Amino acid sequence: MSGRFVRSSKYRHVFGRPTKKEQCYDNLRISKNAWDTNLVKANPHYISVNWEASGGGAFAVIPINERGRLPDQLPLFRGHTAVVLDIDWNPFNDSLIASSSDDGKAFIWKVPAGFTLRTEEGEQPADVAPVARLVGHSRKVGHVLFNPAAENILATSSGDYTVKVWDVESGAPRLTLKHTDIVQSLSWSANGSLIVTTSRDKKLRIWDVRQEKATHVVQGHAGAKNSRVTWMGEHDRIATTGFSRMSDRQLGLWDIRDPKEPIGGFETLDSISGVCMPFWDGSTQCLYLAGKGDGNIRYFEYAQDKFEFLSEYKSADPQRGVAFLPKRGINTHENEVMRAFKTVNDSYIEPISFIVPRRAEVFQDDIYPPVVGSKPAMSSREWLDGKEGLPAKIDLGSIYAGEEPTEISSDYNPASKAPVSPRPRSPVRQESEPTKEAPQALPSFRGPPPSMKEQTSSIANLASKFADKDEVDSDDGDEDTSSFEEVSKPFDRSERNTSKVEDKSEVVALSKGLSTSSAPLGPEAPHSASAPPPSQPTSAQPKSTAASQTAAASPSSSSASANPPIQSYLQEIKSLLEKQSLTMSAQTDRIAQLSAEVDTLKTTLGGQQGGNSGGQAETEKDERIRALERELEKLRS
């Protein structure tokens, strides 16, 4: 693990847990319309899904606790004369839902009290009629989205290239945002004052809704397929998914203050052809990406202005639609941080729980910060008059305990902590600084700041670290403690030079031994190349150490005190090289002398053999020649 660093995160080990088929919502007829929508939406009490119906459009509402195989005949929400394209739940009223259709209208529906899908035997299910009709678009209405901060404010996008903002209470459009092409996706800011949209003209637009003006219009994803956008909660950032010119799926992070291009450029995900649906979780700062046509759900954590990949839920069952449950509806007893609902084979809906693995059986407050509750920040009239605000948050710990949700201020920040109050200072320290006011300690400090006396002693202790050892031992009586971090001594380069001189002296000594061992074979080699004793360069080490310590204590005199030792080292090295050259020349002369002697013996032996003479003398000369040749080879090697 040396050299590897793992980023710390509470959600690094989050995993997706699928649900058995018996606990899914089965026997459904999900719409097969090709319009790019999520098909399914959820809140803590109900799940809604676009229905494949004949004779006009419809959608179904399923109580979240009624799992398993559903009846063949269900009570449907009928009223549209064409297929239903999109639906959205009111964030502050779990029984109110809006729908949009290909007939150019948007309807508001209310789920009856005690609504259930299972009826008595022989009883026909009764369909539900809309409670309000919003008429104003001239083409199909493709998307509906409630304001996350204001009550009863609804945005609708249409094929007439407009986005209308409705006051549901009056049923009239109040604002209109004009585009140049069909809107593919839209998302509100956390305070409900801004909207971001993507359209078929590949433009990303950020709107000041109440001014009916686009504050920024920039180039989005360059691909021809649909792109999606989501506002990242209370951040001034937005996330987009789309395609490149080469049809690679991309992820982009944008700063709404300067959205000329995404932060760090587009990140390529893969080459799958399905649209990627983004979902933002503001409490855990995680982004979930679910792809159409594949069974995978990736999730990233937003940290340091970038997305850090956490993990991926993989499934062999492809999905066409996905919805995520609001955080106030998750199961905190199982450490569930998110729950998704995906459509499978257009016949059933499968819940997927994203869980943080913990063994403790108590409420994990570190993974459950406060979340947005069900109380709006303002009314529709106040919002139209220009008011801004964030809805109140609730503490999930109260829901864990089975109590009524406890409201927390909307400006609550779990990262902020109360400053730590400084401990009272001693009277002696107060008398040492009578004229100075004691500074307040920052939250990261654990005690009062050091006095002037402590700082002076700390600096003295720091300087004593670089003094000679004898001086340090003599000053052990000073018991002042230092508030500075201990700093190691600087590396002494003189030690490295000393080691090099020692190595060079060993080489010279070795060459001396070689010349001495060859002395019996001829004239004695000159002893001018004898190496100096090894203790000589070592004795210079204390001097160099003292010089470096003195240089650390007084920087002004460092250059003057460091030059003499360096000059002496260079002089010693130069003399050693000269001595070694003399030794090598002596050995060369010795080799030449032995070679001449060998040649003379060979000539003499050859002349005697030509005269046909022999005997013991010839044998001795032959052995002498071989011995001289072996010695010559040794010297040459």
Side-chain angles (χ1 to χ4, degrees):
M1 296 295 292
S2 177
R4 295 179 60 189
F5 299 93
V6 179
R7 191 180 60 86
S8 176
S9 172
K10 297 186 290 291
Y11 309 102
R12 189 161 57 92
H13 300 290
V14 170
F15 67 95
R17 186 182 66 186
T19 305
K20 295 182 179 180
K21 183 70 177 293
E22 295 77 14
Q23 294 298 317
C24 296
Y25 305 92
D26 199 1
N27 196 25
L28 303 178
R29 293 189 293 276
I30 302 174
S31 174
K32 297 180 175 60
N33 190 272
W35 178 252
D36 182 24
T37 181
N38 291 351
L39 291 175
V40 59
K41 290 293 180 69
N43 68 18
H45 296 93
Y46 302 103
I47 302 172
S48 60
V49 58
N50 295 358
W51 199 258
E52 184 70 17
S54 59
F59 65 94
V61 172
I62 307 169
I64 202 165
N65 295 324
E66 296 187 11
R67 302 194 177 193
R69 184 175 179 84
L70 302 178
D72 293 335
Q73 298 293 329
L74 299 180
L76 299 177
F77 287 63
R78 293 182 180 271
H80 287 288
T81 58
V83 61
V84 173
L85 300 179
D86 195 21
I87 46 182
D88 190 43
W89 289 100
N90 190 319
F92 310 114
N93 188 344
D94 290 336
S95 62
L96 207 63
I97 187 172
S99 66
S100 64
S101 171
D102 207 354
D103 59 8
K105 300 180 180 64
F107 290 172
I108 306 297
W109 314 73
K110 185 174 179 61
V111 181
F115 180 77
T116 181
L117 299 180
R118 309 185 187 278
T119 58
E120 298 293 336
E121 186 176 354
E123 182 180 354
Q124 291 293 329
D127 292 337
V128 181
V131 296
R133 291 174 171 83
L134 307 179
V135 181
H137 288 291
S138 59
R139 306 290 288 273
K140 67 179 180 182
V141 181
H143 301 92
V144 288
L145 191 64
F146 276 100
N147 190 299
E151 188 177 16
N152 295 327
I153 294 294
L154 179 71
T156 61
S157 69
S158 171
D160 59 7
Y161 306 162
T162 63
V163 172
K164 291 185 180 295
V165 179
W166 304 76
D167 182 359
V168 175
E169 295 178 357
S170 63
R174 299 295 187 182
L175 305 166
T176 301
L177 312 178
K178 296 181 180 180
H179 293 68
T180 58
D181 212 327
I182 293 178
V183 175
Q184 297 174 337
S185 178
L186 71 158
S187 180
W188 288 95
S189 62
N191 60 4
S193 62
L194 302 174
I195 269 187
V196 58
T197 63
T198 61
S199 58
R200 198 166 57 183
D201 59 2
K202 305 175 186 178
K203 298 293 185 182
L204 179 71
R205 294 176 173 86
I206 301 174
W207 297 83
D208 186 344
V209 181
R210 284 167 292 201
Q211 298 295 327
E212 299 181 278
K213 181 176 65 175
T215 58
H216 296 285
V217 180
V218 297
Q219 181 68 33
H221 296 269
K225 298 180 182 179
N226 287 4
S227 61
R228 294 289 193 95
V229 63
T230 183
W231 205 290
M232 295 172 56
E234 300 176 14
H235 295 288
D236 52 1
R237 300 286 188 272
I238 56 178
T240 61
T241 59
F243 294 84
S244 67
R245 295 184 185 274
M246 303 301 293
S247 296
D248 295 328
R249 289 204 293 197
Q250 294 177 328
L251 171 65
L253 174 65
W254 305 75
D255 184 353
I256 65 169
R257 296 166 297 185
D258 186 20
K260 294 180 180 179
E261 57 184 12
I263 300 174
F266 290 113
E267 178 182 353
T268 300
L269 300 175
D270 50 42
S271 299
I272 302 177
S273 60
V275 175
C276 216
M277 298 173 282
F279 301 91
W280 171 253
D281 179 12
S283 61
T284 61
Q285 304 295 303
C286 290
L287 179 71
Y288 295 80
L289 301 181
K292 278 194 173 185
D294 59 87
N296 304 336
I297 300 178
R298 297 181 178 90
Y299 35 101
F300 302 78
E301 185 175 10
Y302 175 69
Q304 298 179 356
D305 223 13
K306 62 180 179 179
F307 290 119
E308 299 286 353
F309 178 75
L310 293 177
S311 186
E312 181 178 10
Y313 169 79
K314 296 183 178 180
S315 172
D317 299 322
Q319 64 228 1
R320 285 188 59 231
V322 175
F324 276 78
L325 190 70
K327 289 300 292 286
R328 53 191 174 91
I330 60 176
N331 187 353
T332 55
H333 291 272
E334 296 184 357
N335 295 333
E336 183 184 48
V337 294
M338 208 64 173
R339 189 188 307 172
F341 298 90
K342 60 178 270 186
T343 64
V344 181
N345 298 329
D346 293 334
S347 62
Y348 69 94
I349 296 175
E350 177 187 6
I352 302 170
S353 297
F354 293 91
I355 296 173
V356 176
R358 296 282 178 92
R359 293 187 177 182
E361 297 182 355
V362 296
F363 179 69
Q364 306 294 307
D365 54 355
D366 61 324
I367 62 174
Y368 290 121
V371 299
V372 177
S374 57
K375 185 177 179 181
M378 66 203 84
S379 65
S380 58
R381 174 54 56 188
E382 292 174 335
W383 182 84
L384 291 171
D385 290 341
K387 183 179 178 180
E388 293 185 5
L390 296 172
K393 297 181 179 180
I394 59 174
D395 183 14
L396 292 178
S398 58
I399 298 179
Y400 179 90
E403 303 172 354
E404 288 294 325
T406 303
E407 288 191 3
I408 298 177
S409 174
S410 60
D411 58 355
Y412 174 82
N413 186 3
S416 62
K417 297 181 181 179
V420 180
S421 58
R423 295 192 295 268
R425 307 179 72 177
S426 60
V428 176
R429 294 179 181 176
Q430 290 178 357
E431 292 176 1
S432 62
E433 293 179 333
T435 59
K436 293 186 178 181
E437 182 180 357
Q440 290 187 352
L442 296 176
S444 59
F445 291 165
R446 294 187 177 181
S451 63
M452 185 64 69
K453 181 180 179 181
E454 291 176 336
Q455 294 179 2
T456 305
S457 62
S458 300
I459 295 173
N461 290 336
L462 181 64
S464 66
K465 294 180 186 297
F466 301 95
D468 291 338
K469 186 175 180 181
D470 296 338
E471 296 177 3
V472 174
D473 294 338
S474 62
D475 294 334
D476 288 339
D478 190 4
E479 299 293 337
D480 291 338
T481 59
S482 174
S483 62
F484 287 87
E485 185 179 1
E486 183 177 356
V487 181
S488 59
K489 290 186 177 181
F491 181 73
D492 193 356
R493 297 188 177 181
S494 62
E495 296 180 2
R496 180 181 297 179
N497 296 333
T498 306
S499 63
K500 290 183 178 179
V501 174
E502 291 177 356
D503 295 341
K504 186 66 69 176
S505 64
E506 291 178 1
V507 174
V508 176
L510 182 60
S511 62
K512 177 184 176 182
L514 181 61
S515 61
T516 305
S517 62
S518 60
L521 299 179
E524 185 175 356
H527 292 279
S528 61
S530 60
S535 60
Q536 183 176 355
T538 308
S539 62
Q541 182 175 358
K543 296 180 181 180
S544 63
T545 306
S548 63
Q549 293 173 349
T550 307
S554 57
S556 61
S557 61
S558 60
S559 59
S561 61
N563 287 334
I566 295 176
Q567 295 293 336
S568 62
Y569 293 149
L570 293 176
Q571 202 68 20
E572 290 177 6
I573 292 172
K574 185 176 179 181
S575 62
L576 288 175
L577 292 175
E578 292 176 354
K579 293 177 181 179
Q580 189 172 7
S581 300
L582 293 175
T583 302
M584 293 175 65
S585 62
Q587 290 178 352
T588 303
D589 296 340
R590 176 62 175 165
I591 290 172
Q593 182 181 357
L594 291 175
S595 300
E597 185 178 353
V598 170
D599 294 338
T600 303
L601 289 174
K602 284 183 178 180
T603 304
T604 305
L605 182 60
Q608 291 178 357
Q609 288 178 353
N612 294 324
S613 61
Q616 188 175 0
E618 296 177 1
T619 306
E620 292 178 356
K621 291 179 180 180
D622 215 4
E623 291 178 356
R624 176 62 176 166
I625 290 172
R626 292 193 190 95
L628 289 174
E629 287 178 347
R630 286 195 298 269
E631 187 65 28
L632 183 60
E633 290 297 330
K634 288 183 181 179
L635 290 174
R636 287 176 177 174
S637 63

